Amino acid sequence: QVELVESGGGSVQPGGSLRLTCAYFGREFAFFAMSWYRQVPGKQRELVAIISPGSSTNYADSVKDRFTITRDNSKSTVYLQMNNLKPEDTAVYYCDAHDLRTRYDYWGQGTQVTVSS
């Protein structure tokens, strides 16, 4: 069983920064690719960033050079550093743990990020 707990969301002005944290509770974190997704009402959930167990990363074009995903395998934690935030980054952000062995996905409860002046 896997549980994901996100934190770090909030309200910020355009150009500001936030750091999201996803704490993973379960076994064998090293077998999971970790991702951040986001969703706004009426739209599909979209991939923001993904990090492999070996820390290879990939980003949506809309967040490249502004967001950084990292993981600390010793703490079973994933981070999303978000800089130069824009109003269009406003969404609920979800942490996803993808089991590379079974292809099963576990989701966190989501954390709201609001970028507004």
Side-chain angles (χ1 to χ4, degrees):
Q1 187 66 21
V2 171
E3 182 182 3
L4 303 174
V5 179
E6 299 120 330
S7 60
S11 296
V12 65
Q13 292 186 339
S17 297
L18 285 173
R19 189 176 81 156
L20 304 183
T21 299
C22 174
Y24 169 104
F25 296 94
R27 298 187 300 173
E28 300 174 318
F29 181 64
F31 287 100
F32 285 79
M34 301 297 296
S35 304
W36 287 97
Y37 284 74
R38 65 187 181 187
Q39 189 170 25
V40 298
K43 291 191 175 182
Q44 282 192 324
R45 193 171 294 189
E46 64 170 352
L47 177 65
V48 175
I50 184 169
I51 186 165
S52 72
S55 292
S56 296
T57 59
N58 203 3
Y59 298 90
D61 288 342
S62 59
V63 307
K64 279 180 182 176
D65 301 322
R66 299 190 298 121
F67 290 11
T68 303
I69 187 170
T70 56
R71 65 190 290 162
D72 185 337
N73 289 335
S74 67
K75 297 181 179 179
S76 298
T77 301
V78 179
Y79 306 96
L80 185 68
Q81 178 66 43
M82 305 185 294
N83 298 329
N84 190 21
L85 282 159
K86 303 176 180 181
E88 52 264 41
D89 295 318
T90 296
V92 177
Y93 283 71
Y94 295 91
C95 180
D96 164 66
H98 179 74
D99 190 327
L100 294 170
R101 301 163 297 179
T102 65
R103 300 188 178 181
Y104 190 82
D105 286 274
Y106 298 88
W107 293 93
Q109 80 285 357
T111 185
Q112 176 70 46
V113 171
T114 302
V115 185
S116 174
S117 55

